[in-house]
């Protein structure tokens, strides 16, 4: 069965420092991977995706993610964190078990950026 | 493009009552998904439509749940005889089929509280 794991419940970073939010996946075929961000009382916002091609994927708000097939990881990164980046981040993988590709989400990682 | 909208944003109901939620997807999107999110968890897939056809349902979708998308545009999710365990955020997402278009765009959600 397809799954994603986000090993950290919370990540704390000082403003201006680089940030990494970790994600590992388990899929039966080629992984289609996604990152979403959720602000309080709001829906999920799409940040970026990996389907194929370059292992380094760039997305919205200065975020990027690195796909690593050998480590089955898809970590989210940003060179310089902002206080406004504080939110809940979800990694997701396309479900090959379903017929039309619904997403399977991790439990989320709370990112806290302090001034 | 006004994004995915959901109505109501909040619903408080007594156990045993029926509730109905509405989702309006992005206008040109042919795929519509319903997810449920509980506190501390990522969204979990409930059901999926392509145009007006409901093509997949999760085992999470008990017989008390029904969803429709009568004209291939907006969708409704009804929960009959609500239980306290139904309390959650119900998220709607839409997407457009096409090469590379695998990301889903989410609405703000409907938060259901069953007392």
């Amino acid at each position: 069965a397809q799954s994603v794991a986000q090993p950290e419940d919370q990540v704390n970073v000082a403003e201006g420092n680089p940030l990494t939010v970790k994600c590992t996946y388990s899929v039966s075929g080629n992984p289609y991977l996604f990152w979403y961000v959720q602000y309080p009382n709001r829906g999920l916002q799409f940040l970026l995706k990996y389907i194929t091609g370059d292992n380094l994927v760039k997305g919205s708000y200065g975020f990027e993610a690195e796909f690593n097939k050998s480590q089955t990881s898809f970590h989210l990164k940003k060179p310089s964190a902002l206080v406004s980046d504080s939110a809940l981040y979800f990694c997701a993988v396309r479900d090959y078990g379903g017929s039309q590709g619904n997403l399977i989400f991790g439990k989320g990682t709370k990112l806290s950026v302090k001034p | 493009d006004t994004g995915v909208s959901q109505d109501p944003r909040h619903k408080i109901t007594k156990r045993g009552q029926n509730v109905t939620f509405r989702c309006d997807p992005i206008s040109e999107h042919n795929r519509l998904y319903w997810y449920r999110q509980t506190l501390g968890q990522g969204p979990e897939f409930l059901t999926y439509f392509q145009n007006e056809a409901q093509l997949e349902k999760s085992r999470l979708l008990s017989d008390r749940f029904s969803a429709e998308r009568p004209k291939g545009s907006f969708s409704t999710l009804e929960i009959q005889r609500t239980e306290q365990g139904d309390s959650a955020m119900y998220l709607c997402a839409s997407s457009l089929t096409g090469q590379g278009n695998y990301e889903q765009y989410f609405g703000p959600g409907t938060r259901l509280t069953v007392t």
Side-chain angles (χ1 to χ4, degrees):
Chain A
Q2 281 70 228
S3 66
V4 292
Q6 295 182 242
E8 301 155 318
D9 290 336
Q10 182 155 346
V11 171
N12 298 312
V13 178
E15 188 175 29
N17 283 0
L19 70 87
T20 299
V21 182
K22 296 180 180 178
C23 172
T24 59
Y25 65 89
S26 174
V27 300
S28 55
N30 291 325
Y32 291 5
L33 296 158
F34 306 83
W35 275 102
Y36 285 82
V37 59
Q38 187 175 35
Y39 295 98
N41 299 315
R42 295 178 66 177
L44 281 72
Q45 296 180 31
F46 170 70
L47 282 177
L48 50 78
K49 66 184 177 185
Y50 172 82
I51 305 300
T52 186
D54 290 342
N55 290 342
L56 186 63
V57 178
K58 294 189 182 298
S60 306
Y61 313 120
F63 284 94
E64 57 190 26
E66 185 171 11
F67 171 69
N68 188 316
K69 188 173 183 177
S70 63
Q71 297 186 2
T72 61
S73 67
F74 188 56
H75 300 333
L76 182 70
K77 300 181 180 184
K78 187 173 183 180
S80 178
L82 301 173
V83 172
S84 58
D85 292 330
S86 298
L88 197 54
Y89 290 81
F90 290 96
C91 182
V93 67
R94 186 170 183 252
D95 183 7
Y96 282 86
S99 63
Q100 298 297 339
N102 55 281
L103 299 178
I104 298 172
F105 287 86
K107 290 187 175 182
T109 299
K110 182 179 179 181
L111 174 65
S112 178
V113 182
K114 300 295 185 185
Chain B
D1 179 0
T2 58
V4 179
S5 62
Q6 292 186 246
D7 184 68
R9 294 291 304 276
H10 304 274
K11 179 70 176 180
I12 300 174
T13 191
K14 293 185 177 180
R15 187 176 54 188
Q17 298 296 305
N18 299 344
V19 294
T20 300
F21 309 142
R22 176 178 171 127
C23 170
D24 287 87
I26 294 171
S27 57
E28 67 269 25
H29 285 187
N30 58 339
R31 294 184 174 178
L32 187 148
Y33 301 80
W34 285 99
Y35 291 83
R36 181 171 67 188
Q37 185 180 19
T38 54
L39 195 63
Q41 301 294 321
E44 295 176 295
F45 169 73
L46 292 178
T47 190
Y48 152 78
F49 291 84
Q50 178 147 322
N51 299 314
E52 66 276 9
Q54 186 174 17
L55 296 185
E56 188 173 353
K57 292 191 284 187
S58 163
R59 58 179 174 78
L60 293 176
L61 209 67
S62 77
D63 291 344
R64 296 184 297 105
F65 287 68
S66 63
E68 295 182 341
R69 194 182 184 196
K71 297 182 179 180
S73 57
F74 73 92
S75 175
T76 58
L77 178 68
E78 181 183 16
I79 308 174
Q80 296 181 328
R81 305 181 303 281
T82 53
E83 301 173 356
Q84 287 188 323
D86 297 331
S87 296
M89 175 77 86
Y90 289 84
L91 295 167
C92 176
S94 69
S95 69
L96 178 65
T97 53
Q99 192 169 4
N101 290 335
Y102 297 102
E103 64 269 26
Q104 298 174 17
Y105 293 90
F106 284 79
T110 294
R111 183 170 296 282
L112 173 66
T113 302
V114 182
T115 62

